[in-house]
Amino acid sequence: MTKAHEVVAAYWAAAEARDWAAFGALLADDVVYRGPQTREQVRGREAYIRFNREGFDYDWHVTVLRIVGEDQHAASWTDFAGREGTQPGLCFFDLDDDGRIAMINDFWPDPYELPASRAHLVERY
Amino acid sequence: MTKAHEVVAAYWAAAEARDWAAFGALLADDVVYRGPQTREQVRGREAYIRFNREGFDYDWHVTVLRIVGEDQHAASWTDFAGREGTQPGLCFFDLDDDGRIAMINDFWPDPYELPASRAHLVERY
């Protein structure tokens, strides 16, 4: 397992445990979080811990489906169970030279209707 | 660069080039593609090549932003420029023991409104 893989595994374990001290220790001081779908951004460890503690005011749980780590990059695919049911979450992480998380790009894809243009080329599962 | 990283780099290069022979050579015979948002599925190399050739009947282009590969797993973050503008695409790949792509889970997140519940915790970019 790569270092980047281990860091992201620890990140999700700390988030699920609400262990914000352990969570914060994995982050660079000037970590940047981005949600490209809303174009929201959070800068800095304290602000990002607060975002996670206070931004989701319901009993959420995260299950890791995949973590892939290579050099200073990693990606995770999780299932996030929250107020509106279970939704996949996809994150891309960039680590700094000290192995701390410096950048997170976080994606939350919603269900959508299968386009008619390719319906004849697929089956449903 | 890991083998899985190289395979996914070659996959996107072949797709962008519409080089379906090169594309197909990267796939396991019984490759399975899944789009979890629509719950669509395609099974087998020939069906999956056809899905890519015929399922998107407009002049699309893909730009790779990140590829992460580890052992028999990889993830990619691309920008997909198509009929409706540019959209991020996130894929998780699983390779078989021969290093061919056996499973693809493909996500296409759309923009959404920033929830008011966390608007005070973020800035926009």
Side-chain angles (χ1 to χ4, degrees), chain A residues 2 5 36-41 43 66 69-70 77 94 105 109-112 114 118 123-125, chain B residues 2 5 36-41 43 66 69-70 77 92 94 105 109-112 114 118 123-125:
Chain A
T2 66
H5 185 135
Q37 290 165 274
T38 50
R39 299 192 69 79
E40 67 194 284
Q41 174 172 280
R43 290 183 293 170
R66 295 277 193 297
E70 181 181 10
W77 169 16
D94 302 312
N105 278 278
D110 280 315
Y112 66 93
L114 179 66
R118 64 178 189 262
E123 60 189 7
R124 310 303 285 270
Y125 73 94
Chain B
T2 65
H5 185 135
Q37 290 164 273
T38 50
R39 299 192 68 80
E40 68 194 284
Q41 174 173 280
R43 289 183 294 170
R66 295 277 193 297
E70 181 181 10
W77 169 16
F92 282 75
D94 302 312
N105 279 278
D110 280 314
Y112 67 93
L114 179 66
R118 64 176 189 264
E123 59 190 8
R124 311 303 284 271
Y125 72 93

Side-chain angles (χ1 to χ4, degrees), chain A residues 5-17 19-20 22-24 26-27 31 33 48 51-52 62 64 67 76 91 93 101 104 106:
Chain A
H5 185 135
E6 286 172 13
V7 167
V8 171
Y11 171 95
W12 286 120
E16 177 63 18
D19 183 345
W20 303 115
F23 187 83
L26 300 165
L27 305 174
V31 59
Y33 166 90
Y48 186 54
F51 170 82
N52 281 279
V62 63
V64 172
I67 295 173
S76 66
C91 285
F93 298 88
I101 295 168
I104 304 165
D106 187 21

Side-chain angles (χ1 to χ4, degrees), chain A residues 39-69:
Chain A
R39 299 192 69 79
E40 67 194 284
Q41 174 172 280
V42 183
R43 290 183 293 170
R45 180 190 296 115
E46 293 313 313
Y48 186 54
I49 291 173
R50 187 171 171 224
F51 170 82
N52 281 279
R53 290 182 79 142
E54 300 177 20
F56 308 89
D57 59 344
Y58 44 88
D59 186 36
W60 54 266
H61 293 281
V62 63
T63 304
V64 172
L65 300 184
R66 295 277 193 297
I67 295 173
V68 187

Side-chain angles (χ1 to χ4, degrees), chain B residues 65-96:
Chain B
L65 301 183
R66 295 277 193 297
I67 295 172
V68 186
E70 181 181 10
D71 301 332
Q72 289 177 234
H73 304 283
S76 65
W77 169 16
T78 61
D79 266 347
F80 184 84
R83 193 165 42 194
E84 295 170 21
T86 297
Q87 184 175 20
L90 298 322
C91 284
F92 282 75
F93 298 87
D94 302 312
L95 274 57
D96 67 15

Side-chain angles (χ1 to χ4, degrees), chain B residues 2 11 18 29 34 36 70 72 85 89 101 103 105 124:
Chain B
T2 65
Y11 171 94
R18 291 10 172 211
D29 298 352
R34 283 186 168 173
E70 181 181 10
Q72 289 177 234
I101 295 168
M103 182 86 210
N105 279 278
R124 311 303 284 271

